Amino acid sequence: MTKNASRMAGRHFLQIPGPTQIPDRILRAMDTPIIDHRGPEFSSLAKRALEGIKTIFKTTNPVIIYTATGTGAWEAALVNALSPGDRVLMVETGQFATLWKNMAVKLGLKPEFITTDWRTGADPAAIEEHLRKDKAHEIKAVCVLHNETATGCLSPIAPIRKAIDAAGHPALLMVDTISSLASTDYRHDEWGVDVSVGGARRA
Ligand SMILES: Cc1ncc(COP(=O)(O)O)c(C=O)c1O
């Protein structure tokens, strides 16, 4: 047996922002035979999951379970809510915000990027100021990360909603909650979010 093929003792502990460690009882619960995806058992399981997931987003609206990575969910959110040529306001809270902005460019959107020092979350006052200048209401969405995984900066979502309203601007509020959902308080309905993008097995 070569050295590389020898058995490693203990549990591999992956120390990156995600995926997180999954509790053993959850891993054990997944260790069950496959069920018929067209049968009544799956139907009731899916209904329970779709109902229960609303409590995590704190919403009464339907939640869509989308089979993709976080990047795939970003794309789905942008292409479903916006059209090529639309101006969008994004905030550079770190590397993931930068990746979302780069994707917006590739999809033909026109992002305007408010820069930060990567030590603070999105500033509602800066968002309000930017929106007030857009008298023709050409900016169709404000896109922010609730928790920027790369820098750990948390953005204040409710005050950002207030800033959009204070500017009298109709832009949608789109929030990436991929590394904050279920670990940090998040309230889709109460905070007036239009599109929340969450993710499984994160933070
Ligand atoms: C806040 C945030 N948004 C988006 C992503 C992209 O998700 P994925 O790596 O699953 O494509 C990540 C990944 O860590 C993330 O932390």
Side-chain angles (χ1 to χ4, degrees):
M1 193 185 276
T2 65
K3 193 173 174 217
N4 284 345
S6 61
R7 186 182 168 278
M8 274 175 55
R11 171 172 295 199
H12 178 63
F13 193 88
L14 187 62
Q15 286 183 301
I16 60 172
T20 51
Q21 302 304 310
I22 305 174
D24 278 349
R25 66 186 181 85
I26 306 293
L27 288 175
R28 297 288 87 78
M30 290 195 291
D31 185 17
T32 53
I34 299 293
I35 59 171
D36 176 9
H37 67 296
R38 291 176 183 270
E41 192 184 349
F42 181 77
S43 164
S44 79
L45 175 71
K47 277 188 196 138
R48 259 195 307 136
L50 287 167
E51 210 41 53
I53 206 168
K54 293 180 186 175
T55 61
I56 301 174
F57 284 89
K58 300 203 180 78
T59 184
T60 54
N61 292 305
V63 177
I64 296 163
I65 297 179
Y66 188 71
T67 315
T69 58
T71 306
W74 269 347
E75 183 177 5
L78 293 180
V79 299
N80 278 285
L82 303 164
S83 302
D86 283 352
R87 287 170 62 192
V88 288
L89 185 58
M90 299 176 120
V91 184
E92 187 210 13
T93 42
Q95 178 61 7
F96 286 106
T98 305
L99 292 174
W100 203 14
K101 186 266 297 177
N102 292 348
M103 171 184 276
V105 173
K106 282 189 196 146
L107 293 172
L109 301 169
K110 293 186 180 146
E112 285 152 41
F113 214 24
I114 297 178
T115 51
T116 78
D117 57 5
W118 285 34
R119 290 168 191 274
T120 46
D123 175 14
I127 291 173
E128 184 177 336
E129 191 190 332
H130 200 100
L131 292 178
R132 280 188 187 280
K133 288 185 202 143
D134 176 33
K135 304 254 183 273
H137 293 168
E138 285 174 357
I139 294 174
K140 299 300 177 202
V142 174
C143 303
V144 290
L145 274 70
H146 184 212
N147 181 60
E148 165 61 73
T149 319
T151 55
C153 291
L154 203 67
S155 287
I157 304 304
I160 291 172
R161 169 85 267 166
K162 283 202 186 100
I164 297 171
D165 294 346
H169 203 288
L172 296 174
L173 175 56
M174 300 177 68
V175 180
D176 168 325
T177 179
I178 285 173
S179 67
S180 63
L181 194 68
S183 62
T184 306
D185 187 26
Y186 188 78
R187 306 176 188 203
H188 176 93
D189 287 4
E190 190 185 316
W191 293 350
V193 180
D194 295 297
V195 179
S196 291
V197 181
R201 299 221 287 135
R202 295 265 165 207

